[in-house]
Amino acid sequence: MLAKLSPRHTVRRWTLAGTVGLALLGAGLPATTAEDRAQPDLTRFYRQKIAWTACDGAETPTDLQCGKVTVPLDYARPGKGTLELALARHRATGDKRGSVVLNFGGPGGSGVTELAYSVKDFMGLTDGYDVVSFDPRGVGRSSPVSCGDGLHEDSAVLQETDAALRDPQSVLRQLKKTADECAKHSGPVLPYIGTVNASRDLDVIRDALGDNKLNYLGFSYGTRLGAVYAAQFPDKVGRLALDGVDTLTEPLTQQGVAGAKGQQTALEDFLDWCVQDIACPFGQDPRGARQDVERLVRSMDEDPVPSAFSGEFTGQDLVVALAQGLYSRNLWPSLERALASLVEDGETHGVEAFATGGFAPPGSPEPRPETTPTGDGGLADEEDVPLDNLPAALMAINCADDPDRPTARQITRELGRLRAAYEEASPVFGRHRLTQVLMCYGRPKGTDFIRNEVKDVDTPRMLLVGTRGDPATPYRWTTQTAKRLGPSAVVLDNKGEGHTGYSSSTCVQRKVDDFLLYGSLPASGGSCAPESPEAPEDGE
């Protein structure tokens, strides 16, 4: 349950600033039995009407509409407070049969911003649906969480791996300090963040859209959200398609190693592609290129370069940029150019756009000022969404979804072994992945609902897409999750490369669209052959 963003998170996003257990209370409106009457009354949240208006922002497509819904901060105590969730939709162009809701992954990605820049990828779905996305609680404009400078300080203390092994207590103190900083900067939403509540919010959105059943397309982390929804609201499931399927059972430590291995393989594939181009900044020898990347990361950790926006850009920042750029072969030419600018000219604009998801506009001399959460539950202004919202939300949601909390003694005892395992998995990505795993220390224990209860769902058939060469969500997770969910889950075997299949395979996109629009779904799920990538042109 680590960072698994949709490959659509590209440098295009810098043009829009701000751009991502509880007891099961039942599906839809509360039932009226004597037992259920003792449960909180959620009627007012289920009888909303969305007031759609033109979206603000010069870069927003003119045909995109924005709105909001109100949800309880705490579903067990709905009188405790409320949150507003930001929505966006592209209206159906054909005969409307309802809505299809998209989640692009993360966790922590802004669905509103992502839909604004990728709506053309889903025009086929508008033949029958309004295409809708949203900012989940804690993400984007929906009460965004933040950790101030805490996440950077965590990365800094773990960069000194030898010192950390000599004094693991210093690492634990920093991790606890960061947890406290996240609580300080995030406001009242933080204890109620996570997929179990986001799934409940999704059902409120379904009702506000006027749909009796939820039609849904989730990418990467969005598949976890879809699976949780199927477990919580099986009677409300319409057509669910899950692409780049997340694990529901593996501990964060195992996920981290799997993710590091997948990213290392993707990096090596990228470099094999890059060295065919005379403009590749790492030369024309694949082995030498891999060594050059490792040296570049080490040197920037030891001696960071000036950031294009403010402060410093470290080797671990570069690792984040590489991870985002490797999610899809479609991003490789842009990643190659960004790396060439960094290596040859010391220019960080391009790689920083990948590292931040494109949140800061190029040429902006300073990041937006730090803000203090108001806690009123209203939508945040775009300019007030913290620059660290994506990583802060990612950590908050992953930790809220994971019940494992190793003690200080366990971390101290295992730190050396974990470091060795992660660096063996990837000399480039291992340290960053380990940092993500450790950062749940000092936070409250997460829910065990996902691991224990999301299984054997009684729903209409769902389509699960697994890509054989996926660097973030291994194909085995698709088959494991399908088996866990039960006979309703049908697997589409995409034999291609990259994270998720919808954006990179015309075959996958056609099969997913046919399922969502017409319910077409072979009993076996079918398969899609790989689509050959084009070799880079000289000087591209």
Side-chain angles (χ1 to χ4, degrees):
M1 300 176 184
L2 298 174
K4 309 183 191 80
L5 293 169
S6 163
R8 295 179 187 80
H9 292 253
T10 71
V11 292
R12 294 175 299 164
R13 292 179 61 187
W14 63 26
T15 56
L16 181 61
T19 79
V20 39
L22 288 178
L24 184 59
L25 300 181
L29 286 172
T32 58
T33 66
E35 179 182 354
D36 287 340
R37 279 198 296 271
Q39 297 176 349
D41 183 3
L42 303 175
T43 303
R44 67 187 178 104
F45 299 105
Y46 275 93
R47 291 181 177 167
Q48 299 181 61
K49 298 296 181 183
I50 302 171
W52 295 104
T53 60
C55 298
D56 294 332
E59 301 294 336
T60 303
T62 55
D63 52 359
L64 194 73
Q65 295 181 314
C66 287
K68 63 183 180 181
V69 297
T70 302
V71 297
L73 178 68
D74 181 353
Y75 276 92
R77 291 171 290 178
K80 188 173 183 177
T82 61
L83 303 170
E84 291 180 346
L85 305 181
L87 304 174
R89 76 170 178 180
H90 192 285
R91 300 198 68 177
T93 55
D95 293 332
K96 180 180 174 181
R97 66 191 71 178
S99 303
V100 60
V101 180
L102 310 184
N103 181 283
F104 295 95
S110 166
V112 171
T113 299
E114 194 57 47
L115 184 60
Y117 287 104
S118 60
V119 68
K120 66 179 183 297
D121 296 339
F122 304 97
M123 291 304 294
L125 293 175
T126 62
D127 286 344
Y129 292 118
D130 288 345
V131 178
V132 178
S133 194
F134 68 106
D135 290 355
R137 56 174 63 204
V139 174
R141 297 186 63 200
S142 303
S143 299
V145 296
S146 173
C147 292
D149 293 328
L151 298 180
H152 289 290
E153 292 173 359
D154 273 355
S155 296
V157 74
L158 286 165
Q159 285 171 20
E160 301 294 334
T161 52
D162 292 330
L165 289 174
R166 289 193 300 270
D167 184 16
Q169 292 300 318
S170 66
V171 175
L172 297 176
R173 287 192 295 271
Q174 178 57 48
L175 292 171
K176 182 61 171 66
K177 178 183 176 183
T178 295
D180 293 341
E181 286 294 301
C182 294
K184 171 185 173 183
H185 289 276
S186 295
V189 70
L190 189 61
Y192 304 99
I193 205 169
T195 305
V196 172
N197 273 340
S199 170
R200 306 219 50 168
D201 296 341
L202 186 56
D203 197 56
V204 173
I205 292 171
R206 171 201 59 76
D207 187 80
L209 291 170
D211 294 336
N212 292 325
K213 304 283 187 178
L214 175 71
N215 301 306
Y216 176 83
L217 174 55
F219 298 97
S220 198
Y221 161 77
T223 69
R224 190 198 316 171
L225 177 58
V228 171
Y229 185 89
Q232 287 186 304
F233 302 98
D235 294 339
K236 298 299 182 181
V237 170
R239 295 170 183 168
L240 261 64
L242 311 179
D243 184 4
V245 181
D246 204 350
T247 179
L248 300 175
T249 57
E250 285 192 5
L252 285 177
T253 51
Q254 294 180 20
Q255 293 181 50
V257 171
K261 287 180 178 178
Q263 288 177 314
Q264 184 68 29
T265 298
L267 175 63
E268 292 170 3
D269 290 344
F270 164 73
L271 292 174
D272 288 344
W273 172 89
C274 182
V275 297
Q276 300 176 50
D277 182 5
I278 195 171
C280 181
F282 305 112
Q284 275 63 61
D285 174 58
R287 182 176 180 181
R290 292 166 197 160
Q291 294 172 344
D292 285 347
V293 171
E294 293 174 25
R295 282 193 291 266
L296 179 62
V297 171
R298 286 197 302 269
S299 68
M300 291 177 62
D301 276 336
E302 295 168 0
D303 186 17
V305 300
S307 166
F309 305 129
S310 66
E312 296 178 331
F313 192 77
T314 70
Q316 295 308 298
D317 294 327
L318 177 60
V319 167
V320 175
L322 289 169
Q324 297 303 319
L326 293 172
Y327 272 151
S328 170
R329 286 178 180 264
N330 295 334
L331 303 181
W332 286 6
S334 297
L335 180 61
E336 180 190 21
R337 290 191 292 269
L339 290 168
S341 295
L342 173 67
V343 171
E344 296 166 6
D345 304 320
E347 173 60 64
T348 65
H349 274 99
V351 287
E352 286 195 76
F354 278 106
T356 63
F359 292 122
S364 174
E366 298 290 340
R368 64 183 64 126
E370 180 180 337
T371 58
T372 301
T374 62
D376 61 6
L379 294 183
D381 293 334
E382 290 180 352
E383 61 270 18
D384 291 333
V385 178
L387 286 176
D388 76 325
N389 176 239
L390 174 57
L394 182 147
M395 293 311 307
I397 295 168
N398 281 338
C399 295
D401 287 358
D402 189 83
D404 298 327
R405 285 297 183 275
T407 65
R409 177 177 296 182
Q410 289 172 320
I411 292 177
T412 299
R413 185 176 66 244
E414 296 293 323
L415 188 57
R417 184 189 64 80
L418 286 172
R419 174 195 170 188
Y422 275 77
E423 291 188 350
E424 180 181 359
S426 172
V428 174
F429 299 99
R431 187 184 305 175
H432 176 69
R433 285 290 190 171
L434 178 57
T435 302
Q436 287 186 309
V437 168
L438 293 177
M439 282 176 59
C440 288
Y441 179 79
R443 296 174 185 250
K445 182 179 179 180
T447 180
D448 59 6
F449 178 85
I450 298 173
R451 189 176 295 177
N452 294 341
E453 303 298 331
V454 183
K455 59 184 178 181
D456 302 323
V457 298
D458 183 14
T459 68
R461 289 195 300 168
M462 301 178 290
L463 179 60
L464 277 60
V465 182
T467 298
R468 294 280 180 166
D470 194 315
T473 50
Y475 181 79
R476 62 181 172 83
W477 287 355
T478 301
T479 56
Q480 290 170 356
T481 298
K483 183 177 180 180
R484 180 175 176 82
L485 293 177
S488 299
V490 177
V491 173
L492 171 60
D493 181 359
N494 177 30
K495 301 182 187 298
E497 303 288 331
H499 184 39
T500 74
Y502 191 90
S503 65
S504 59
S505 168
T506 55
C507 171
V508 170
Q509 185 171 107
R510 183 179 66 253
K511 288 180 179 293
V512 170
D513 285 358
D514 285 348
F515 168 64
L516 290 171
L517 287 167
Y518 313 115
S520 303
L521 185 60
S524 65
S527 64
C528 287
E531 298 184 6
S532 301
E534 297 182 2
E537 300 178 2
D538 288 347
E540 184 180 34

